[in-house]
Amino acid sequence: MSILTLRSEVVHTEPQTNVPAVEKTLSIFERIYRIGFVRKTAILLALAAIWEIYGRWLGNPLLFPSFSETVSAFLANVADGTIPARAWTSLQTLVIGYGIGILLAALLTTLAIGSRIGADLLETLTSMFNPLPAIALLPLALIWFGLGSGSIVFVLVHSVLWAIALNTHAGFRSVSNTLRMVGMNYGLRGLTLVRLVLIPAAFPSILTGLKVGWAFAWRTLIAAELVFGVSSGSGGLGWFIFENRNQLETANVFAGLFTVILIGLFVENLIFATIERKTIRRWGMQH
């Protein structure tokens, strides 16, 4: 009797040919669709097309200029240097207010993570002042600092400070005790522990606070310039919009708004996106 026998319960079948492929080659459309820049550009082009169609259908440039008329006005103001000069004036003021707001937020957050009274102080101040619109303080700022850039910087600091401090403090509080103890086991204490452990672990919240603070500061700046806007004989983008509104140059008003949007897109999709890609995405903290 042979040792090797065929088992009757084993069914021998032909290899299956309809098994789906584990990996398949992507089509050109799928490859292009995976690029975030292309998707966002397509959305912007669709919005521009809707804008153009509605403007042409309305047929009233004084009320609502089309996208092409807005772009023509934008290019004309860029060519004669008006929009670059106004944008530069606004950005200079923005950087000063944004920078001071970040420094004050860092100071308050340091006090908050260092002591219980500091945490109570930050929570109390944010509860009091965070709901207060920054532009509502402009009349007081004009009394205290006069007709100059100091008034706008003051309201910018208010708009930036609380959003950054609140998000940074929340990020620090969300850091696990395990990470803290690991850092302390390596001999890290004080500011060294904050710099090497707490800040990297809380950086997603910190970056969110910086984004929110930037958005608040940018729209507060334009609103403040719309209210009084002129500093040392020259105004920013908000004042450019206000002037052209008084002169019924609606295309120029839309060109100013278009510039505000372009700067916002640049900061969000280039500066903050680059920081995000080189930090929290590289560290595996975000998909």
Side-chain angles (χ1 to χ4, degrees):
M1 183 176 180
S2 174
I3 299 177
L4 298 176
T5 60
L6 292 176
R7 298 175 59 184
S8 58
E9 65 270 18
V10 177
V11 178
H12 300 276
T13 60
E14 295 295 328
Q16 297 182 1
T17 58
N18 58 350
V19 177
V22 177
E23 182 178 357
K24 68 175 183 178
T25 304
L26 297 177
S27 64
I28 296 178
F29 175 78
E30 291 174 327
R31 292 179 183 178
I32 295 176
Y33 182 77
R34 286 174 173 243
I35 304 174
F37 174 77
V38 175
R39 296 196 304 270
K40 292 178 181 180
T41 302
I43 293 173
L44 292 176
L45 291 176
L47 293 176
I50 295 172
W51 181 353
E52 180 70 19
I53 293 171
Y54 179 73
R56 289 181 179 273
W57 174 80
L58 191 62
N60 189 351
L62 184 63
L63 181 63
F64 192 91
S66 65
F67 179 75
S68 57
E69 292 170 334
T70 301
V71 171
S72 297
F74 170 76
L75 294 177
N77 283 279
V78 169
D80 63 18
T82 302
I83 282 183
R86 299 300 181 90
W88 178 246
T89 300
S90 294
L91 290 174
Q92 282 180 309
T93 307
L94 177 69
V95 169
I96 295 173
Y98 191 64
I100 295 175
I102 290 176
L103 292 177
L104 292 178
L107 178 62
L108 282 176
T109 307
T110 302
L111 292 175
I113 64 175
S115 63
R116 186 176 296 275
I117 188 64
D120 292 339
L121 175 64
L122 178 60
E123 291 177 1
T124 303
L125 291 178
T126 52
S127 300
M128 291 170 56
F129 295 113
N130 194 36
L132 186 64
I135 198 65
L137 296 177
L138 186 57
L140 287 176
L142 292 175
I143 296 174
W144 295 339
F145 302 101
L147 294 174
S149 59
S151 299
I152 298 183
V153 169
F154 175 79
V155 296
L156 287 179
V157 171
H158 172 78
S159 64
V160 170
L161 172 59
W162 312 114
I164 296 180
L166 196 60
N167 280 275
T168 302
H169 186 235
F172 284 151
R173 293 182 63 181
S174 66
V175 178
S176 66
N177 290 328
T178 303
L179 285 177
R180 297 173 185 266
M181 289 187 291
V182 168
M184 296 176 67
N185 287 337
Y186 276 94
L188 302 179
R189 297 291 187 278
L191 293 178
T192 306
L193 179 66
V194 173
R195 181 172 60 88
L196 297 180
V197 176
L198 296 185
I199 291 180
F203 198 72
S205 296
I206 295 173
L207 187 58
T208 300
L210 292 173
K211 287 182 179 181
V212 174
W214 143 257
F216 284 174
W218 187 225
R219 68 189 187 188
T220 299
L221 173 63
I222 301 302
E225 289 179 341
L226 280 168
V227 174
F228 95 104
V230 174
S231 174
S232 302
S234 63
L237 282 172
W239 189 250
F240 172 80
I241 295 170
F242 181 79
E243 283 181 318
N244 284 279
R245 193 269 298 176
N246 287 340
Q247 299 169 7
L248 296 180
E249 295 287 347
T250 311
N252 287 339
V253 172
F254 273 71
L257 296 173
F258 186 66
T259 306
V260 173
I261 293 172
L262 288 179
I263 294 175
L265 289 174
F266 173 82
V267 173
E268 182 70 26
N269 292 284
L270 187 62
I271 297 178
F272 282 122
T274 301
I275 295 174
E276 188 177 276
R277 185 174 62 254
K278 291 183 177 295
T279 53
I280 56 180
R281 287 191 180 180
R282 177 179 293 181
W283 299 338
M285 303 171 72
Q286 187 184 73
H287 299 291

